């Protein structure tokens, strides 16, 4: 569909603050390509940009992505309630949220990284192992002959070439990435495949009216049922944003998945249940959840949901009105579309991470995860609005590798100290009693006038809730 691109006067002000290369415009164009725009799209009217832009526009991408999610909510509010609320995003606060939103009070956060998750020298460069999940760790260590310590692993890895070890670990069911240059990635078969993909890949099913009915502009997404099949980190960022403005988010994890280092950041505001999709009873429960969901957000590899019997077509058979938004690490086509991946690995594959002074220097935070997550939230909001106004049922696919291309394409175009619009300072926060201990959580980096943002459920451990919608449970109480 042909898109008419229009930006409000406030939008030009924000885009100026985000840099002349207009990452926000690029992102908005991709997100809104599902419709013809007759009017300017709303843009948060005040914005500071963080400091991590000297060479690669890390803070610019993160702030632009949050702006896109907030803008999508503004558009939904205007369509549903006849009023586009004023909004603001503070990029300094965005930087902080992308690093960590919590401070433990009187205790220490668990590490986000397994001891073997690090960069190692090979006989021809570097390789990164990602061993946070027990089965990924076991796969990598089995390939290496069962090292007991990271130093044992380092001694063994020195014998390998990067390509050979990367492929051996991937073939064993693990996760690894050789350190490549941006030029290497541009010429790599998967890099070439990613270059041909859109930032947001939209697809459309048969028309079906939405079963969700908005209630109040104060909490715009109240009653919207979001089935969350995502794990670290991009997908949980998306559903955390949706929950912050009222969505009923139900996260489902398999029996053996753990991520205590990140769950305290990502489970706030959500119902967290567990199901084994190889178990007959649990499959029936999951089917029932699919049938009653409005949106499904998933982070499975391209063929993984199909392998479980719950691919997009199967879920649409169960629920023809279901909106789906999917995430993949390395893209949705090409030889690596089924490869396991995480932000840290995609950084190394794509040339964003580089060798510097004898070490591997990565980006200041996992911006691919966070930016993609907020863009996924924006995609959900646009799809919900379009379904409400025209009965179109949409699916969107995004990938970490495609956002890596955005950053590589704009390397060197940012200023070290980007200009800012009027000061929009967000300070404060709140105390929260989590399953791990008491914390102080930062104030959200966005504000929308007339919208109550935040959560009424503290962060808690995975699989501690029943697999049921909170809205359904409240009706029966």
């Amino acid at each position: 569909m042909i898109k008419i691109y229009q930006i409000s006067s406030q939008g030009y002000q924000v885009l100026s603050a985000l840099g002349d290369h207009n990452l926000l415009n690029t992102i908005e164009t991709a997100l809104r390509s599902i419709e013809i725009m007759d009017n300017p799209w709303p843009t948060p009217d005040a914005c500071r940009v963080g400091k991590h832009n000297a060479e690669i526009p890390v803070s610019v991408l993160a702030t632009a992505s949050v702006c896109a999610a907030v803008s999508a909510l503004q558009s939904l509010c205007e369509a549903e309630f006849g009023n586009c609320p004023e909004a603001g995003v503070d990029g300094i606060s965005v930087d902080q949220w992308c690093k960590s939103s919590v401070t433990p009070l009187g205790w220490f956060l668990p590490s986000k990284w397994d001891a073997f998750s690090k960069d190692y020298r090979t006989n021809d460069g570097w390789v990164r192992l990602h061993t946070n999940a027990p089965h990924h760790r076991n796969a990598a260590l089995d390939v290496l002959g069962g090292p007991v310590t990271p130093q044992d692993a380092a001694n063994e890895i020195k014998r390998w070439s990067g390509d050979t070890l990367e492929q051996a670990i991937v073939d064993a069911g693990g996760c690894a990435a050789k350190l490549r240059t941006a030029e290497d990635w541009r010429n790599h078969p998967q890099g070439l495949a990613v270059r041909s993909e859109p930032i947001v890949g939209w697809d459309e099913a048969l028309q079906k009216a939405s079963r969700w009915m908005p209630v109040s502009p104060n909490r715009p997404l109240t009653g919207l049922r979001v089935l969350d099949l995502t794990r670290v980190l991009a997908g949980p960022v998306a559903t955390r944003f949706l929950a912050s403005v009222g969505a009923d988010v139900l996260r489902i994890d398999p029996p053996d998945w753990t991520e205590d280092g990140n769950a305290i950041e990502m489970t706030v505001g959500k119902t967290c249940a567990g199901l084994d999709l190889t178990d007959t009873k649990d499959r029936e429960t999951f089917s029932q959840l699919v049938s009653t969901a409005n949106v499904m957000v998933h982070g499975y590899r391209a063929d993984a949901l199909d392998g479980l019997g719950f691919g997009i077509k199967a879920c649409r058979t169960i629920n023809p009105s279901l909106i789906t938004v999917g995430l993949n690490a390395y893209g949705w086509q090409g030889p690596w579309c089924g490869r396991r991946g995480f932000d840290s690995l995609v950084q190394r594959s794509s040339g964003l991470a580089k060798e510097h002074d004898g070490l591997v220097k990565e980006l200041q935070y996992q911006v691919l995860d966070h930016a993609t997550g907020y863009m996924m939230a924006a995609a959900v909001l646009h799809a919900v609005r379009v379904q409400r106004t025209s009965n179109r049922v949409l699916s969107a696919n995004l990938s970490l590798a495609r956002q890596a291309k955005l950053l590589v394409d704009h390397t060197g175009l940012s200023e070290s100290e980007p200009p800012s619009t009027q000061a929009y300072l967000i300070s404060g926060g709140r105390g929260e009693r989590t399953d791990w201990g008491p914390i102080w959580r930062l104030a959200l980096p966005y504000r929308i006038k007339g919208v109550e943002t935040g959560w009424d459920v503290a962060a808690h451990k995975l699989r501690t809730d029943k697999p049921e919608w909170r809205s359904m449970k409240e009706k029966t109480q």
Side-chain angles (χ1 to χ4, degrees), residues 10-342:
Q10 296 97 332
Y12 279 117
Q13 185 183 25
V14 174
L15 290 173
S16 176
L18 291 175
D20 291 338
H21 47 285
N22 284 356
L23 269 173
L24 177 56
N25 190 25
T26 301
I27 292 168
E28 285 281 27
T29 298
L31 286 165
R32 295 177 183 268
S33 63
I34 51 174
E35 58 189 331
I36 295 176
M37 295 291 293
D38 295 322
N39 299 303
W41 62 62
T43 308
D45 62 2
C47 180
R48 300 186 307 161
V49 180
K51 64 182 180 179
H52 304 304
N53 301 301
E55 180 183 6
I56 298 173
V58 171
S59 297
V60 170
L61 177 61
T63 301
S65 300
V66 177
C67 285
V70 172
S71 175
L73 184 69
Q74 290 175 288
S75 291
L76 179 63
C77 288
E78 185 173 27
E80 294 294 345
F81 306 111
N83 176 57
C84 180
E86 297 177 3
V89 174
D90 184 351
I92 301 297
S93 184
V94 170
D95 272 354
Q96 294 172 332
W97 268 81
C98 290
K99 295 173 183 177
S100 178
S101 69
V102 303
T103 300
L105 302 177
W107 59 285
F108 296 97
L109 289 169
S111 174
K112 295 182 179 181
W113 297 103
D114 177 71
F116 287 91
S117 287
K118 56 191 299 186
D119 296 289
Y120 298 87
R121 281 195 178 276
T122 62
N123 64 21
D124 60 353
W126 292 87
V127 71
R128 171 78 175 198
L129 304 189
H130 198 292
T131 58
N132 286 5
H135 57 294
H136 294 161
R137 173 178 167 141
N138 292 339
L141 299 190
D142 285 348
V143 169
L144 296 172
V148 177
T149 68
Q151 185 57 54
D152 293 338
N155 293 337
E156 174 62 22
I157 289 172
K158 288 178 182 178
R159 308 172 188 268
W160 291 74
S161 71
D163 281 317
T164 303
L165 181 58
E166 176 188 70
Q167 192 61 53
I169 291 175
V170 169
D171 289 345
C175 301
K178 173 187 173 180
L179 184 68
R180 292 175 170 83
T181 66
E183 184 64 26
D184 290 339
W185 186 242
R186 274 192 291 269
N187 296 316
H188 189 280
Q190 190 59 34
L192 292 169
V194 170
R195 285 173 60 185
S196 68
E197 291 189 4
I199 295 170
V200 181
W202 288 104
D203 192 20
E204 189 167 347
L206 296 175
Q207 290 194 356
K208 192 73 175 180
S210 173
R211 296 183 298 181
W212 172 66
M213 181 70 69
V215 177
S216 168
N218 184 52
R219 291 286 278 175
L221 299 190
T222 295
L224 184 75
R225 294 175 175 175
V226 179
L227 189 58
D228 182 359
L229 309 181
T230 68
R231 298 187 279 278
V232 288
L233 279 175
V237 168
T239 53
R240 184 179 65 185
F241 178 90
L242 299 173
S244 78
V245 287
D248 183 357
V249 176
L250 172 54
R251 172 170 170 160
I252 301 296
D253 283 285
D256 58 350
W257 183 260
T258 60
E259 53 180 74
D260 277 357
N262 290 295
I264 196 169
E265 296 273 359
M266 298 300 170
T267 58
V268 61
K270 305 175 185 179
T271 301
C272 298
L275 290 174
D276 180 357
L277 296 187
T278 65
D279 176 82
T280 300
K281 185 176 180 180
D282 281 3
R283 289 176 65 85
E284 292 175 356
T285 299
F286 185 74
S287 292
Q288 180 63 26
L289 293 175
V290 171
S291 73
T292 53
N294 304 115
V295 178
M296 183 172 75
V297 182
H298 67 90
Y300 283 82
R301 300 188 311 280
D303 59 349
L305 275 176
D306 287 317
L308 291 168
F310 289 105
I312 302 306
K313 289 183 179 179
C315 288
R316 283 262 172 78
T317 299
I318 298 170
N319 180 357
S321 67
L322 184 68
I323 291 167
T324 68
V325 174
L327 165 72
N328 207 0
Y330 282 104
W332 293 88
Q333 56 189 16
W336 285 14
C337 67
R339 177 171 291 210
R340 299 170 181 85
F342 298 90

Side-chain angles (χ1 to χ4, degrees), residues 405-420:
K405 182 181 183 300
L406 268 181
L407 282 177
V408 170
D409 287 348
H410 293 91
T411 293
L413 297 180
S414 295
E415 301 176 7
S416 58
E417 294 293 336
S420 297

